[in-house]
Amino acid sequence: MQDPRPQAQLLVRNDHSSLCLLWVWYRANGGEARLEEFDAYLHGLLVLDPFDLKILAWAMEDYGRARVSLP
Amino acid sequence: MAISPEQELLVQLQDLIIGTDSVSDFLTSLAGVAAATISRSAGTDVECGVTLKRHRASATVGGSSDRAVELDRIEQYAGPGPCMTALRTQTSVLLGDTRSDSRWPEYQKQLMEHGCFTTLGVPMELNQEASAALNFFASQAGVFSEAAVRDAAGFAEIAGHAVRLAVKVATIQGVAQDMETAMKSRTAIDLACGIVMAQNRCTQSEAMKILTKASSTRNQKLRDLAEEIVVKASGEKPQTHFDRATSKPHPAQTTTN
C-alpha cells in the first residue's frame, strides 16, 4: 500500500480547514490519535501504529467522497 | 430611521440566504431580484443568469427563468462572451447589439438564434477561491444605457457580499454534515469494541487490537468489520442518536400540571 501521508500533507497545506475534517474521518475509521498528534503524524513528527496508515488511507477516501457533494 | 435602497437590497438578499437551502437555490432567487431591479433601470423586461465558480467544484448556475439559464450556458459551448470576459477582466462588459458587434461572432450568432440581441456581463467581487458574474439579457438591442450599466454594477457590488455569505454558510453546513456522517461512522467501531470486550473479558485497548488484527487479516475496512459484528450481535445496524435542538424537549424540561 502506498503511504497516504504525502497526499494528506498536500491537502492540509492547500486548505488548512481540511485538517479537522480529515481527522474526524480518521477517527471515524478507528483512529485513536488526538488532533495535535494526528497533525504531527501527517508531517512525520510522530510515529503511530503501522495500521494507522490504512486508517488514514480510508479517511482520505471518505474525505474525497464527502467533498464532492458540497451543497 | 430611513433605510437607503442599498440597505434595503442587502436585507432582501440576506433574507434570501436564510430562506434558501442551497447555493443553487440562492443564486436562482438572486437572479430573479437582479432581473427585476435592472428591468426597472432599463425600462424593459430583462432576464438574468448568474454563474458561480468555486475552487475544485463545477460551476453553479442560476437564472431568473429557464431561458436565462439556457442563455447563460451558451458561453460554455460557443466560447467566451461578455460574462466570461467580465469574470476575467473584473469589469462590466456590454454587448450592445449582437447584429453589429464583431467581438464574439459565434456567441452572438447563438444568442440571436435564441432571440436575444443584447447582453451585459457584470462581475461580482468574491475571494480567491470563488468568482461569480451576473449576465443580463434582453430581446431588444441597445436597452442597457450608461445609467443601467451603472445600476447593474452597483447591484453586483452589494450582491457580491451576499454571495460570499451564502457560499460561506453552505461550506459550513457542508462541513457540519460531513462531521455528523463521520461521527456516525465511529459508532459501529465503538459498539463492536464493547462487544469484543464482553466476549473476551478484556480491556478496550485489547479489544481494539483484536479488531485491527482481524481487519488486517481479512483485508477489510475496520468500520465494515465492526458493523458486521454489531449486526451479528444485535440483529440490526448500529445507530447514532443525536439530540437535536428541534427534537422533543428533554423530560426534565417538560412541565406537568
Side-chain angles (χ1 to χ4, degrees):
Chain A
M1 189 191 68
Q2 211 183 348
D3 187 343
R5 281 175 295 182
Q7 205 193 337
Q9 273 177 34
L10 197 68
L11 176 80
V12 172
R13 193 163 48 234
N14 288 338
D15 176 10
H16 190 68
S17 62
S18 60
L19 175 68
C20 266
L21 197 51
L22 187 59
W23 173 70
V24 172
W25 280 115
Y26 160 82
R27 296 278 306 178
N29 278 285
E32 296 287 324
R34 285 177 294 146
L35 179 61
E36 314 84 81
E37 292 169 337
F38 178 70
D39 192 10
Y41 173 64
L42 287 191
H43 292 90
L45 303 170
L46 184 76
V47 178
L48 294 176
D49 190 283
F51 191 72
D52 280 81
L53 280 180
K54 277 192 178 179
I55 296 179
L56 178 60
W58 297 330
M60 291 284 286
E61 258 177 50
D62 288 338
Y63 177 92
R65 234 189 330 262
R67 291 290 80 195
V68 170
S69 58
L70 258 182
Chain B
M1 192 177 69
I3 298 176
S4 70
E6 288 80 12
Q7 284 170 319
E8 202 176 316
L9 176 61
L10 199 53
V11 170
Q12 191 182 1
L13 296 180
Q14 279 173 358
D15 285 345
L16 288 186
I17 297 171
I18 295 164
T20 47
D21 291 328
S22 67
V23 172
S24 172
D25 287 350
F26 167 73
L27 292 181
T28 300
S29 304
L30 170 70
V33 177
T37 306
I38 304 308
S39 290
R40 281 195 296 275
S41 296
T44 186
D45 277 349
V46 167
E47 289 177 281
C48 177
V50 54
T51 304
L52 169 69
K53 285 182 179 166
R54 282 183 282 183
H55 185 49
R56 283 181 297 177
S58 54
T60 313
V61 177
S64 57
S65 63
D66 290 344
R67 183 168 177 267
V69 174
E70 202 181 319
L71 291 170
D72 203 65
R73 287 200 168 124
I74 291 178
E75 276 183 291
Q76 285 174 18
Y77 58 82
C83 188
M84 280 191 192
T85 310
L87 269 176
R88 188 170 48 80
T89 60
Q90 287 297 300
T91 52
S92 299
V93 179
L94 175 65
L95 169 56
D97 191 336
T98 50
R99 293 165 300 189
S100 55
D101 205 300
S102 58
R103 286 175 291 177
W104 305 285
E106 184 51 37
Y107 172 72
Q108 289 167 214
K109 186 176 154 230
Q110 296 283 338
L111 267 188
M112 284 188 283
E113 280 173 12
H114 283 79
C116 176
F117 291 90
T118 184
T119 173
L120 169 66
V122 188
M124 284 185 277
E125 202 185 318
L126 298 185
N127 52 34
Q128 287 179 335
E129 298 212 329
S131 58
L134 295 162
N135 212 0
F136 296 98
F137 306 96
S139 305
Q140 242 179 303
V143 298
F144 296 119
S145 62
E146 272 185 37
V149 173
R150 254 198 323 273
D151 285 351
F155 181 94
E157 197 182 332
I158 295 169
H161 292 284
V163 174
R164 276 207 298 274
L165 188 58
V167 170
K168 202 163 188 171
V169 168
T171 305
I172 291 167
Q173 280 174 340
V175 169
Q177 248 171 33
D178 289 353
M179 291 240 181
E180 191 174 314
T181 311
M183 283 189 277
K184 280 180 182 169
S185 303
R186 177 77 195 195
T187 301
I189 293 172
D190 288 339
L191 286 175
C193 197
I195 293 165
V196 173
M197 283 167 74
Q199 285 173 343
N200 294 275
R201 297 184 180 281
C202 64
T203 64
Q204 187 178 351
S205 124
E206 284 165 343
M208 270 308 276
K209 276 190 188 133
I210 292 171
L211 284 173
T212 55
K213 195 176 171 192
S215 162
S216 282
T217 311
R218 296 184 185 192
N219 199 18
Q220 184 183 20
K221 271 179 121 175
L222 188 57
R223 199 170 65 208
D224 296 341
L225 170 71
E227 208 171 288
E228 269 181 31
I229 292 172
V230 175
V231 171
K232 209 170 170 185
S234 70
E236 58 182 27
K237 283 194 165 197
Q239 286 177 16
T240 310
H241 301 280
F242 286 109
D243 191 11
R244 294 182 188 284
T246 51
S247 63
K248 285 180 193 166
H250 191 274
Q253 293 170 324
T254 54
T255 52
T256 49
N257 292 322

